[in-house]
């Protein structure tokens, strides 16, 4: 049987994704008609969807069996009431690898105090400033899902003491796992570096507020490749100005692109990266999409289903 797969993402993405999607569907043994651009919604079986696409009304897609997101974060689409079909988010091995590299890179930068030497090649022999060993610098991973878990494992393999925090209590070898409000307090009080890898939901919005930032050790560092609104920007700026928080490396923001006049750009204790921590990789992601379409056609459970009530 032939299925119709509609690629609903900004047109500029199609030349990259089209050939990979075609190949992945073929590999999965799926006979598919692919469309991008205008399509007859009543003929579409699966929508491959990027949440920055113009499509927001799913009502006309009466035959659609699932919407397969190209993004890991689904906060823009999960609340959409016109979407009544199953929604799957992206869990892409290529994206995970990329996030591990970003997080390990930025954690090591701060741990080793690299800026001190990279930015000050001025003839001064700064021999007195030496980093401790990784084993002496506790790192908090807020979010222990697909990405947080992989980053926690990588940091642990470098011997950082890693504490994790998640909604449900986890047991992970080598990671000191916590949950709940008291667990967050315990983790933040010890974290010299905190990495945020949580989804944006009603519960996580504004999670790192003034009160919680004040729990962190003096000079602690924040790395946020999760979502901008997880942090209260004003509270963060105040903590950075006061030197309570030593540095923030931020990849995600309330408004993206971050406006040129936003105080983060000029702040000496902030590093802005332009939402580049972990892009979806077409070659690996399209295999995940194809596997989900295979499952849909075989009557099997979809992978990476979003719990719409929970928001992720
Ligand atoms: N910057 C980038 O390039 C980029 C790329 C990809 C993704 N992201 C962001 O990274 C986020 C995480 O992705 P993922 O694939 O790791 O997601 P995931 O597998 O769904 O994991 C989310 C983690 O957050 C925890 N969590 C959710 N709500 C919570 C709450 N209220 N309190 C405590 N913990 C909570 C979950 O707890 P449970 O385990 O108990 O469910 C889980 O451990 C995405 O949602 C997206 O926003 C950014």
């Amino acid at each position: 049987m032939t299925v119709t797969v509609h690629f609903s993402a900004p047109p500029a993405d199609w030349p990259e994704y089209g050939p990979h999607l075609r190949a992945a569907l073929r590999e999965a043994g799926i006979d598919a008609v692919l469309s991008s651009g205008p399509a007859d919604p009543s003929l579409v079986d699966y929508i491959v969807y990027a949440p920055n696409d113009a499509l927001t009304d799913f009502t006309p897609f009466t035959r659609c069996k699932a919407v397969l997101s190209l993004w890991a974060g689904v906060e823009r689409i999960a609340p959409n009431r016109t979407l009544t079909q199953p929604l799957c988010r992206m869990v892409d091995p290529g994206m995970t690898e990329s996030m591990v590299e970003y997080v390990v890179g930025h954690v090591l930068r701060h741990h080793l105090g690299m800026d001190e030497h990279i930015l000050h090649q001025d003839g001064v022999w700064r021999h007195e400033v030496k980093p401790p060993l990784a084993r002496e610098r506790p790192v908090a991973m807020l979010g222990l899902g697909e990405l947080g878990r992989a980053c926690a494992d990588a940091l642990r393999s470098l011997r950082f003491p890693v504490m994790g925090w998640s909604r449900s209590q986890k047991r992970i070898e080598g990671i000191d796992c916590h949950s709940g409000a008291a667990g967050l307090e315990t983790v933040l009080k010890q974290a010299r570096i905190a990495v945020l890898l949580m989804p944006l939901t009603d519960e996580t919005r504004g999670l790192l507020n003034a009160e919680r930032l004040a729990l962190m050790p003096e000079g602690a560092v924040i790395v946020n490749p999760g979502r901008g609104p997880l942090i209260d920007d004003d509270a963060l700026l105040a903590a950075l100005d006061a030197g309570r928080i030593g540095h923030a490396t931020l990849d995600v923001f309330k408004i993206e692109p971050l406006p040129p006049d936003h105080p983060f750009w000029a702040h000496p204790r902030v590093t802005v990266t332009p939402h580049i921590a972990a892009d979806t990789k077409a070659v690996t992601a399209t295999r995940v999409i194809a596997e989900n379409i295979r499952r849909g056609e075989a009557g099997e459970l979809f992978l990476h289903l979003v719990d719409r009530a929970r928001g992720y």
Side-chain angles (χ1 to χ4, degrees):
M1 195 174 131
T2 304
V3 294
T4 303
V5 179
H6 180 58
F7 186 79
S8 183
D13 293 349
W14 180 241
E16 186 192 358
Y17 276 89
H20 288 298
L21 190 54
R22 210 175 294 283
L25 288 164
R26 201 178 324 112
E27 261 173 46
I30 295 156
D31 183 17
V33 172
L34 286 181
S35 67
S36 75
D40 179 348
S42 67
L43 298 180
V44 170
D45 295 300
Y46 296 93
I47 302 174
V48 177
Y49 185 69
N52 60 344
D53 188 53
L55 172 64
T56 51
D57 182 6
F58 292 89
T59 320
F61 291 86
T62 47
R63 188 167 116 175
C64 177
K65 299 172 196 170
V67 172
L68 309 169
S69 173
L70 288 168
W71 293 13
V74 289
E75 70 276 6
R76 288 199 205 175
I77 181 179
N80 187 327
R81 293 195 178 185
T82 69
L83 175 61
T84 51
Q85 295 88 347
L87 169 65
C88 302
R89 65 188 203 90
M90 180 47 67
V91 174
D92 163 23
M95 180 197 285
T96 304
E97 256 179 77
S98 179
M99 187 60 85
V100 168
E101 291 175 15
Y102 179 93
V103 167
V104 169
H106 284 278
V107 165
L108 282 177
R109 167 195 169 196
H110 294 299
H111 168 62
L112 295 174
M114 288 181 179
D115 290 12
E116 182 70 14
H117 306 294
I118 293 171
L119 302 176
H120 301 112
Q121 295 288 300
D122 51 7
V124 179
W125 189 254
R126 292 183 176 81
H127 184 67
E128 67 289 353
V129 187
K130 297 182 196 98
L133 286 173
R135 69 172 79 234
E136 295 161 329
R137 195 183 302 269
V139 176
M141 190 61 60
L142 305 186
L144 285 172
E146 295 290 337
L147 300 174
R149 170 73 197 269
C151 294
D153 285 343
L155 292 170
R156 184 176 64 112
S157 73
L158 293 170
R159 298 179 185 249
F160 287 99
V162 181
M163 298 166 289
W165 186 70
S166 51
R167 193 165 107 124
S168 56
Q169 180 63 38
K170 307 255 182 283
R171 205 172 284 170
I172 304 172
E173 201 189 328
I175 313 264
D176 180 18
C177 295
H178 298 262
S179 60
L184 181 58
E185 197 176 318
T186 305
V187 166
L188 289 177
K189 278 183 173 164
Q190 298 173 66
R192 302 279 307 282
I193 300 178
V195 181
L196 278 72
L197 271 171
M198 290 189 311
L200 178 60
T201 66
D202 290 345
E203 284 183 30
T204 62
R205 187 179 295 277
L207 185 95
L208 268 200
N209 56 19
E211 199 186 323
R212 295 204 173 105
L213 287 166
L215 294 172
M216 299 184 73
E218 187 82 17
V221 166
I222 287 163
V223 178
N224 184 16
R227 281 293 182 261
L230 297 174
I231 304 181
D232 177 337
D233 286 356
D234 291 340
L236 177 60
L237 282 165
L240 289 161
D241 286 342
R244 288 235 352 92
I245 296 295
H247 200 97
T249 291
L250 308 172
D251 187 52
V252 283
F253 305 91
K254 279 185 182 137
I255 299 173
E256 296 183 9
L258 185 67
D261 58 350
H262 194 286
F264 282 155
W265 282 112
H267 202 290
R269 295 181 196 272
V270 175
T271 300
V272 170
T273 59
H275 203 143
I276 44 79
D279 257 0
T280 303
K281 310 293 178 217
V283 63
T284 40
T286 49
R287 291 193 190 124
V288 179
I289 301 271
E291 169 59 10
N292 253 343
I293 294 176
R294 188 202 65 72
R295 283 171 171 255
E297 292 308 290
E300 297 172 21
L301 282 181
F302 288 114
L303 297 171
H304 320 308
L305 265 177
V306 173
D307 178 333
R308 304 284 296 280
R310 224 173 41 170
Y312 70 100

